Amino acid sequence: GGMRSAAGSNPTLTDVTLIGNAATYDGGGMYNDGGVPTLNAITLTLNTAQNGGGMYNDGTSPTLIDVTVSANNASTSGGGMYNYTSSPVLTGTRIFRNTADSNGGGMYNADGSSPQLFHSLLSGNEAGDSGGGMYNAQSSPRLLLSTFSANGAAVEGGGLANVDGSSPVVANSILWGTSASLAAQIWSDVTSSPVVSHTLVQGGHSGPGNIDADPHFADADGPDGLVGTPDDDLHLTCSSPALDAGDNSLVPSGVTTDLDGLPRFRGLGEPVVAKPPVDLGPYEEQDYGQWVSEGWTNLHEGQAYRTGFHVLVTKTITATIDEYLPAFFVNASDFYELALTCAPVEARRTEAG
């Protein structure tokens, strides 16, 4: 295809685009068989192969940072990426709109592969058979603080399909808007046991802290109305149940920022805690109000409030507004029950207070 990294080669690539390449068998955009590349701000797009349309890894563990794998195709499996006995580490990776005629539209993991995905997005990937977002065969990836949105499979597991003793770990993540004829989000055969915790899963899934509720993405299909394109906005709005729903013990050590480079652990708990629970997915919601104390709150410019934000229905809420500018404030609708709704909105319906 576009590039091969063989045993003994450890290239570092930055700001490179591999586009429109083809391979008869494996790795349309890039084939790594023993080489351990480090890829930073790389784009693999419109590449084709039998397996691993965008990338094929064979017995290697490359590092991918801020990499985009989009619109690649595999005539068999692994539209975006195929990992064979490989464990790449993907941070801030966007795997969008890849297709596989068989399994693993976004990614296919086989024979002991254990990739790690952190702060990553898989959206709009499609599989002709199973595992629209990811297909795991005797593999156990770790998916942390990541979002699967609107992936699809014709048969099983629009988000994840797990077979042959696979045990993926999914934590502090979101799987939503995905379609398949059987088990739209996560499907596993009788030999496989995914470990899913503190994750929002459409249709639900067993495990501690899991949620089945609309995540309220800002704009999952973007202005163009197509999922898996660059204008999709998978940030959480302030009404999302995914806010403060994570488990900090499952966040890798040293993590202090999200996919945007903005602070993590921005929520406020009641009582106030030094390190509030992390938001699910790769983005931390940044617009927060002041701490509500003794039944009152003071709104300030640039601050937005969550639905029911630290307010009990038995309290009476009053507020003062410094300046009525639509860019600064949320839509105040119910001060005397659950406080403020989330926004922002172009105009306030009524004055607050």
Side-chain angles (χ1 to χ4, degrees), residues 98-109:
N98 301 283
T99 57
D101 294 356
S102 184
N103 298 316
M107 182 182 294
Y108 187 102
N109 301 310

Side-chain angles (χ1 to χ4, degrees), residues 43 48 53 155 180 182 264 285 290 294 346:
T43 297
T48 60
V155 183
L182 181 63
R264 275 293 191 180
E285 217 280 327
Q290 271 187 281
E294 301 301 325
E346 293 184 359

